[in-house]
Amino acid sequence: MPTPPRASLAQIIDAGREIVEVSGPAGLTMQAVAERVGVRAPSLYKKVADRDALLRAVAGATLDDLSARLESTGDDLAALARVYRAFAHEHPEAFRLMSAVPMPVEVLRRSADPLLRACTRIVGEADALDAARFAVAWVTGFLQMELAGAFRLGGDVDGAFEYGVRRLAVSLRS
Amino acid sequence: MPTPPRASLAQIIDAGREIVEVSGPAGLTMQAVAERVGVRAPSLYKKVADRDALLRAVAGATLDDLSARLESTGDDLAALARVYRAFAHEHPEAFRLMSAVPMPVEVLRRSADPLLRACTRIVGEADALDAARFAVAWVTGFLQMELAGAFRLGGDVDGAFEYGVRRLAVSLRS
DNA sequence: ACCTGAACACCGTTCAAGT
DNA sequence: ACCTGAACACCGTTCAAGT
């Protein structure tokens, strides 16, 4: 007798995202996810290959959100950097997970697009990819170190970020 | 009847480092470490509080190695960046673990020292910390993205690194 | 002192049996 | 079709008992 599904893939991923944000990736157990969507753990395997695939899906959904946010931000490099940082502060655990998980190329491409456009405007087409890598490396490195607590040697971290935004602009313009 | 220890803390950490490099942090199980040092898993708890503490010790030992390497490199920013990258390529798993684990402040300070000196030489004392954060954010971000496979949108990754080294120098000099 | 087997709680995953 | 309990393998950790 056919039975309608009780937990959609979208619900499972959403549950995963909530758990990751409150308990970190280690807290995302199949049982915790199952409980949240009102089902038993084995049922999750109808929608998800295994825990790792669910983690990748959570990371992918997070990157999609970030991409949408960046897309609506425009062409300004400094603005993009600040939106990026705001997102990381809102979802620190998901942000760190995102950086640890390998993404499909098309997802990467979409997320890179706004930055690539901003860089093309500044350095031209030929250097745009190198420049975008320079910028994205700086901003993700900064945020990962900030979130990992690596910036504890004094000084003002907000100030250091704005210093970086300025230096970034300077370096691409010369 | 007192018995001499069969596995020193140093041996345990070394075993942990080898396992991490070949199987990643997930491969570091207490049983795998125990087997490597010729003991049963429960004995490890005489020297190590728990698995997490062992992971932190492995990360700390790795950062100590990196710090020594940087210290013997000198004051040149570009040289420091290249040594940093060479180290990450030699120990990709340990490098990623290092970035994920919170470090004691004194370990951070020692590792930051060479970079701080290089930056002081270029931008002066007042901006040295901001500049060092700019530089270290870029280089660790670049390496983490490179190791995580985030640079797969074409172009030459080695070239992008050298582009970054140049832009970094430019940005701090103006 | 240090080492061990046994035990416990917990987790990911599979699968036959239910509806 | 989907859901479940039961089972299996594996892991971290504790602890009483051995030497």
Side-chain angles (χ1 to χ4, degrees), chain A residues 1 3 27 56 98 105 131 142 149 155 172:
Chain A
M1 191 81 53
T3 309
R56 283 196 300 273
M98 216 176 65
V105 171
F142 191 99
L172 295 185

Side-chain angles (χ1 to χ4, degrees), chain B residues 8-24:
Chain B
S8 71
L9 178 59
Q11 284 174 319
I12 291 171
I13 295 175
D14 278 349
R17 295 179 75 174
E18 291 166 22
I19 292 169
V20 162
E21 214 44 77
V22 42
S23 317

Side-chain angles (χ1 to χ4, degrees), chain A residues 103 144 152 167 171 174, chain B residues 103 144 152 154 167 171 174:
Chain A
M103 297 283 185
Q144 279 183 44
R152 288 172 298 158
R167 290 295 175 175
S171 78
S174 44
Chain B
M103 297 283 185
Q144 279 183 44
R152 289 173 297 160
R167 290 296 176 177
S171 79
S174 44

Side-chain angles (χ1 to χ4, degrees), chain A residues 163, chain B residues 119-120 123-131:
Chain A
Y163 177 95
Chain B
C119 287
T120 304
V123 303
E125 195 120 10
D127 280 357
L129 185 56
D130 280 350

Side-chain angles (χ1 to χ4, degrees), chain A residues 133-153:
Chain A
R133 281 175 173 161
F134 183 65
V136 76
W138 168 70
V139 70
T140 66
F142 191 99
L143 291 169
Q144 279 183 44
M145 295 190 77
E146 183 184 11
L147 295 179
F151 288 158
R152 288 172 298 158
L153 264 38

